[in-house]
Amino acid sequence: GLPAALPTLPLELTVLYNFLLFTAGASNSAIEGEADGIRQGLLRVLEACGACGQDLSTEELWQKVLQEVTVKELQAPLHRLGALQAAWWLAAGRLGSIAGLFQLLSAAEDTGIARCSEGQNKLLSLLKAWRVPAEGPSLPLVQSAEDLKEILCTAAAFLQGLQELEAGKFPAALSLLQEAAGGFCSKKVLAQIYTCLGCCAQRMGKLQTALLHLKRALQVDFQCLPALSHVAAVYHELGETDVQLQALSLLYEALEKNPPAAASSSPYFLIQTELLVHTPMLTSLLRHLHPSEVKYLLAQQCLEDGRVVDAVEHYLDFLALLQEGLQQQVSLDHSSALPRIPEVFLEAASALEQAGRHQDAITVCEEVISRTTDLIPRMLRVEERMEQPECPLPETGLSGELPSQKKEGLCCLAWRTAGYLHQGWAWAKLGESKEAITQFSSMLSPGVCLHVTEDLLPEVEVLRKIRLLSLIGRGMQFLELGRHKEALLDFQYGLQISPGDPAAASYLVQTLWNLNRKQEAVAQWQKFFRRSPGVDKEQEVQGRPVPLYLVSCLEQAMFPHSGPLARNIQDYLRTTQDTSS
């Protein structure tokens, strides 16, 4: 409440500087909001000089103070307070405000602007050009302005590097992040910067450079586990599965040990880089995976790579984690590595089936079927068109995009029918053709009406693929039982669902041949297997990625006797031509 006086203002501003440093450092959390104390300090300076600035913004207030207050004893305290103001603005991402402030503080517009106009980063140039005021011996500071300047330079380079990375300007991001890596920061932050450098290099396609940066991050701080997860992702992109699995296994072990957070190597600094740089981009790059996510990634990669025994082990471990309720601890954001839980069960069933554990696969699928049956409407009608109809029918409720309720119904239907599909293949492998036919038929029972056109939404396309695979699977079992006419119908229905499908077409031709309808078999062969632009387009559509849990079903549905069948057709054609001549 004392009136402002010029003789005491240097001490007052120094006390304010120390107080704000203690306040920010003691919280040990990211700096947010405005530093009201700085504003009040500036108003006190104006008051002592017989001026006012209550109606001015903070930027305008700084401009007025630095341009009108020429008292020599106030210059050093004001410069230190300006550096502190820059820390608050940096935390808020107000880089333009910082640049304007340091242009005033440097009082060197001619030289400063000339230097930064030659391709240099303007803000970094201004920060480096700022001359730190000398500290008086009678006015101790809890953190020197020189140290604060170094931290501001590092944080500014780091923050701008992240912004350029998010904007897709990778060369600029790389340059700024390298500048930050050579700056003044703790080992924890340095490891984070190297991790960001690795991610930037990865997005530029420089995978070996990315690995160097990520390994450097782990050397600096071995507890920087996000760097290890990015290492695994880079090795996946390189196709080096063995090393990728080793990295994921190390990550899982490290997460299971749950080590304490590493202490900063510079605890005596109240303002540190980690308090100033906190962006969604950084949070995303440094997200810690939950152990269950890593376990799933191990299982998924083993299944994709055909290591079914290891995949089974990892999937069963993951399912055990689900039983313990650990999935509740996984963040439900879009960056999570986990798919929907029924899909994980189906992938586990696929792994079990490929490992020869058919009864276990049947049991896992039964869990999916029982949990999803009650979530599916008794009748689900989907008319899939990309163009908006003139008069959409209320019962379809679909034109271009699925309503969330109907989309969820389609997902549940896909999971349940995929469960029946896997059970059908499992029973077939066990030699139980009749039970296999029953499971394939369960998928084909009424309950959903799909009117399919050329352009498919993903949910509808998956359902179409499952229906096709079920028809092929049931037809194969009919062939095993010698019921060729019923098999023929299934393959014909399959070709109605997916015209030109190579497996359904091959089985159709083989069945006609077995029924001694050789002329029809030859005609169908020539229809489906003479290459044409239309067939190429259809095969391209069929080449779209399918869910991982369907890959093994696609492989089992492939026609295994293409060579012998083609030779039979060619021999028949030659014989026919010889007879006619």
Side-chain angles (χ1 to χ4, degrees), residues 486-501:
E486 292 168 280
L488 183 65
L489 287 175
D490 276 348
F491 300 137
Q492 289 172 335
Y493 290 149
L495 288 170
Q496 290 178 11
I497 292 174
S498 181
D501 179 78

Side-chain angles (χ1 to χ4, degrees), residues 333-356:
D333 57 21
H334 295 295
S335 60
S336 173
L338 295 178
R340 301 290 295 275
I341 297 303
E343 293 186 18
V344 180
F345 271 76
L346 291 170
E347 289 175 14
S350 176
L352 288 164
E353 190 181 336
Q354 293 178 68

Side-chain angles (χ1 to χ4, degrees), residues 248 287-290 292-298 300 318 330-340 343-344 347:
L248 288 173
R287 191 180 79 87
H288 281 262
L289 296 180
H290 188 273
S292 61
E293 292 179 273
V294 181
K295 179 59 71 172
Y296 171 73
L297 289 173
L298 281 164
Q300 179 192 51
F318 177 79
V330 180
S331 174
L332 298 177
D333 57 21
H334 295 295
S335 60
S336 173
L338 295 178
R340 301 290 295 275
E343 293 186 18
V344 180
E347 289 175 14

